[in-house]
Amino acid sequence: KRLVDIFEKDKIFLNSNLNIMDVVQLIGTNRSYISGIINKQYNQNFCAFVNSYRMREVEKIFTTNPSISNELLAEKCGFGSTNSMKRTIESNSGISIHAWKKKLIKIVA
């Protein structure tokens, strides 16, 4: 529960330098425990878990501001770079960021 809280309420994923040790310190446990929870409960590794929150934030921000630049979108959502954001979106959606944005706009409209 604490893991979900710090991601959903505190939005720690917005920190582009976030690493598993930051989470360990915030929760007060060890790396193996956090890694185990993420692997078992979410069937993901730490990086994929963090990026799933970032991707939801991209969707939220982009749908309310479709004219936002990729650079600003990446920065606001915790990605270290535009390329990192693009790779995450492409690997999770199977389509380019351009096609993904078009699809989102159609869904919202």
Side-chain angles (χ1 to χ4, degrees):
K1 181 178 176 350
R2 180 77 178 119
L3 178 66
V4 172
D5 282 350
I6 64 173
F7 274 83
E8 291 183 3
K9 292 178 183 169
D10 300 338
K11 294 190 173 194
I12 63 168
F13 60 88
L14 296 177
N15 172 1
S16 63
N17 295 314
L18 181 70
N19 64 53
I20 196 165
M21 293 311 294
D22 297 328
V23 175
V24 165
Q25 289 176 352
L26 286 168
I27 293 178
T29 188
N30 64 54
R31 181 185 176 111
S32 297
Y33 182 73
I34 296 298
S35 183
I37 287 175
I38 293 170
N39 288 318
K40 288 177 187 166
Q41 295 290 318
Y42 300 96
N43 212 18
Q44 297 176 314
N45 63 28
F46 178 76
C47 186
F49 181 77
V50 173
N51 282 340
S52 70
Y53 278 93
R54 289 175 177 160
M55 194 165 160
R56 280 183 245 150
E57 191 74 7
V58 168
E59 284 182 31
K60 187 175 116 189
I61 291 174
F62 178 73
T63 55
T64 58
N65 184 5
S67 62
I68 191 170
S69 70
N70 283 344
E71 292 79 15
L72 189 54
L73 192 57
E75 182 183 319
K76 283 183 168 276
C77 297
F79 287 100
S81 69
T82 304
N83 286 336
S84 177
M85 178 181 72
K86 287 179 181 180
R87 275 192 310 275
T88 298
I89 289 170
E90 289 174 13
S91 70
N92 285 294
S93 68
I95 55 178
S96 71
I97 190 168
H98 181 71
W100 184 78
K101 283 180 168 183
K102 278 184 153 181
K103 187 176 173 182
L104 270 183
I105 289 171
K106 286 181 185 176
I107 291 169
V108 173

